[in-house]
Amino acid sequence: MNILVTGGAGYIGSHTVLELVERGHRVVVLDNLSKGHRAAVGGIEFVHGDTGDARLLSETFKKYNIEAVVHFAASSLVGESVQQPAAYYQNNVVKGLALLDAMVSSRVLKLVFSSTAAVYGEPIEVPIMEDHPTLPTNPYGATKLAFEAAMLWYSGAYGLRYASLRYFNAAGADLAGKIGEDHHPETHLIPLVLKAAMGSVASLAIFGTDYPTPDGTCVRDYIHVSDLAVAHALALDALSAGRDRAVYNLGNGNGYSVLEVIRTAEEVIGKPINVKYGPRRPGDPAVLVAGSGRIKKELGWRPRFADLKSIIETAWLWHSSHPAGFEK
Ligand code: UDP
């Protein structure tokens, strides 16, 4: 299939591009490089531009005979979204709608969307299933949910077929060691823990020790980025086979606290990590753990990296060999 991947130069996007190419698809990446890295998709057909650019989209669909889109391009930081909701509505909703409209006009009607556990907000029960109420507690989750609603209505009226993948905490790196996580600034727990171990940040701040969890720190469900990548490929196959709409959670179903992540990283690296205890980060729910039974049952998805240690090992492989990320 000819597939356009928006935001394909980003962390999850570039791992998905790799998976799609390995499966024999022809992939074109559209990325404005505001966050992504050109080096993450070396050798892949690349269009430098924005999902809000309707003309560029219709030209790209035509030029490459695009049959499906995987849409990653978005702003994705919870804390930043609370400070700058306008940017999140602009990037994630307004530009997203431009993409949907261009797809409908060009009759490109298959879409896999990069959604998030942040659509659920504070869970009322865990593991979280797809039919859990969606009450986001920050603009990031709200804008992803708004785009999901648009896909639903576009599917009824214009024949769009879509799968929305709600990821829990993506982590790790491709085993070949050529691509990995490289955000500027880095805000995510696992890369920051590894950077603290390497001395490129002085210490790791633990955001809150008074949560209602066994050790007082937040519990999250970490899922390997290559397992996420496979889920996108399976979702595309399902759309091609005639599936018209689907929403899937993606996690391992195991929760690990911040302290457990730090302890596991110390075990992988073989040295202690310097930590500081700090206050809670606004907008963080205490526990997020996925129920991913639906995608397992319907698409046969199975995580290859089901435990935290194996996920951190792959992240460490990338970070220890690329201390300056893609700039090396
Ligand atoms: N966290 C932390 N210190 C950091 C970064 C994150 O204690 O420097 C915690 C954060 O509060 C959350 C968990 O680690 O409970 C995962 O955060 P991350 O930003 O990696 O992902 P998110 O859950 O926001 O998607």
Side-chain angles (χ1 to χ4, degrees):
M1 207 167 11
N2 297 334
I3 302 165
L4 181 72
V5 180
T6 76
Y11 171 47
I12 306 172
S14 59
H15 284 80
T16 301
V17 167
L18 197 63
E19 179 66 30
L20 294 173
V21 169
E22 274 171 12
R23 288 173 180 246
H25 294 295
R26 180 184 183 201
V27 175
V28 179
V29 167
L30 173 78
D31 201 299
N32 66 10
L33 296 178
S34 61
K35 291 273 183 343
H37 305 275
R38 183 67 185 87
V41 281
I44 304 292
E45 281 175 290
F46 186 82
V47 178
H48 187 195
D50 209 274
T51 45
D53 186 341
R55 215 176 76 187
L56 178 66
L57 287 170
S58 68
E59 282 168 12
T60 305
F61 291 149
K62 202 159 153 198
K63 180 172 174 193
Y64 296 100
N65 200 14
I66 295 297
E67 300 163 84
V69 174
V70 185
H71 179 38
F72 293 98
S75 300
S76 63
L77 299 176
V78 168
E80 185 184 70
S81 79
V82 176
Q83 305 301 322
Q84 303 170 31
Y88 277 68
Y89 275 88
Q90 187 63 35
N91 281 337
N92 299 357
V93 181
V94 176
K95 290 183 183 179
L97 291 178
L99 171 68
L100 284 186
D101 291 340
M103 289 179 66
V104 170
S105 311
S106 299
R107 308 305 292 160
V108 178
L109 294 174
K110 292 193 277 287
L111 174 63
V112 177
F113 176 57
S114 166
S115 190
T116 169
V119 299
Y120 296 113
E122 190 68 52
I124 52 178
E125 57 183 29
V126 284
I128 300 173
M129 312 304 267
E130 289 85 352
D131 58 4
H132 184 284
T134 47
L135 292 164
T137 50
N138 53 66
Y140 170 55
T143 55
K144 288 283 180 174
L145 189 60
F147 189 84
E148 285 196 3
M151 289 192 297
L152 176 65
W153 296 114
Y154 276 55
S155 91
Y158 310 127
L160 178 76
R161 306 221 304 267
Y162 71 90
S164 189
L165 305 184
R166 294 174 175 169
Y167 325 141
F168 283 65
N169 286 61
D174 180 63
L175 278 180
K178 295 211 167 90
I179 58 174
E181 191 164 9
D182 183 12
H183 296 117
H184 296 275
E186 189 53 78
T187 63
H188 295 105
L189 179 63
I190 291 179
L192 284 174
V193 168
L194 302 182
K195 281 173 188 290
M198 293 189 297
S200 48
V201 300
S203 65
L204 178 90
I206 295 175
F207 296 149
T209 52
D210 59 348
Y211 284 98
T213 58
D215 65 21
T217 65
C218 284
V219 169
R220 293 289 179 274
D221 182 341
Y222 295 90
I223 173 161
H224 196 277
V225 65
S226 301
D227 286 329
L228 285 181
V230 170
H232 293 76
L234 296 177
L236 277 170
D237 290 347
L239 297 178
S240 297
R243 186 72 199 256
D244 46 16
R245 55 180 90 129
V247 175
Y248 295 121
N249 283 344
L250 281 162
N252 276 309
N254 303 311
Y256 294 97
S257 72
V258 173
L259 287 175
E260 283 173 320
V261 169
I262 294 166
R263 256 181 251 123
T264 309
E266 285 176 336
E267 213 181 294
V268 168
I269 299 162
K271 69 177 204 195
I273 290 158
N274 193 12
V275 301
K276 283 199 174 121
Y277 295 92
R280 292 184 179 197
R281 184 173 67 176
D284 272 342
V287 179
L288 290 175
V289 177
S292 300
R294 185 188 280 177
I295 191 167
K296 287 182 177 160
K297 184 162 167 258
E298 293 186 6
L299 304 189
W301 175 80
R302 294 282 177 283
R304 277 175 59 209
F305 299 89
D307 70 296
L308 183 63
K309 191 169 178 210
S310 66
I311 294 173
I312 294 182
E313 277 166 355
T314 70
W316 179 236
L317 197 68
W318 160 257
H319 283 282
S320 55
S321 59
H322 297 78
F326 285 99
E327 272 160 36
K328 206 180 85 158

